[in-house]
Amino acid sequence: MESVAFFAGAIGALGGAIAVIGLRNPFFSVLALIVHLVSLAGLFLILHAEFVAAAQVVVYAGAVMVLYVFVAAYVGNVQEPAFEPIPGQQFLAPLLGAALFIELSIAVLGSSLKALDSNGPTIPLGFGSPGAIGRIFLERFLIAFEASSMLLLLAAVGAVVLAGRRGPGDSREGVPVATDSPGRGAEGVVLHDPEGASY
């Protein structure tokens, strides 16, 4: 039963990850990412890391994915080209992707074949509990944990600063832009509405 659950979770995780980068619709990509994260939570349950599995579902598959859904709905259905306009990318990208896939396959298969005759690692009592994870974060990996916290804080502050640079008069596609000179738009062009009033 454990082997069936492992292969089901592995197939779900790999299929979701491939669908995230393969689907052109951003909303479907978000749904595929939810499948990927839930499958990872199932794999964490097999490893007896119940707290990590719950955090995976609540934080990532729940709160973060809701944010992604709002972003995808805000952006809308944007038509993107099949290939980016970079010379040689459509030939070089598949080669690099295939090389990375072969390298990861060799690493995964090599470690898996060595562990076929073993029973796996011995899991100590309390593995995956909130106390054990707290000790790992705040003792063994304290510097890495604090560095990632600072990076997330800087990213949040940067997003607020970039969003605050757009004033109430900023516009998109034909909506009047506030400038210092009255009656003139972004390029010094006088804008009129159907009623004859100038902006």
Side-chain angles (χ1 to χ4, degrees), residues 11 22 82 142 165:
I11 292 173
L142 177 61
R165 288 185 177 178

Side-chain angles (χ1 to χ4, degrees), residues 13-68:
L14 291 176
I18 293 172
V20 168
I21 63 175
L23 296 174
R24 305 301 296 180
N25 191 320
F27 182 75
F28 291 148
S29 295
V30 171
L31 295 180
L33 187 56
I34 293 176
V35 173
H36 171 75
L37 294 175
V38 172
S39 301
L40 286 182
L43 294 177
F44 284 131
L45 283 177
I46 296 176
L47 295 174
H48 300 282
E50 293 84 4
F51 178 76
V52 179
Q56 182 85 7
V57 173
V58 173
V59 177
Y60 288 103
V64 176
M65 287 303 104
V66 169
L67 176 62
Y68 282 6

Side-chain angles (χ1 to χ4, degrees), residues 9 11 22 29 33 40 43 56 59 99 101 107 112 121 123 129 142-143 148 153 172-173 178 185-186 188 190 197:
I11 292 173
S29 295
L33 187 56
L40 286 182
L43 294 177
Q56 182 85 7
V59 177
F101 176 76
S112 301
I123 299 176
S129 63
L142 177 61
I143 296 177
S148 61
L153 178 62
R172 296 179 182 175
E173 299 188 4
V190 179

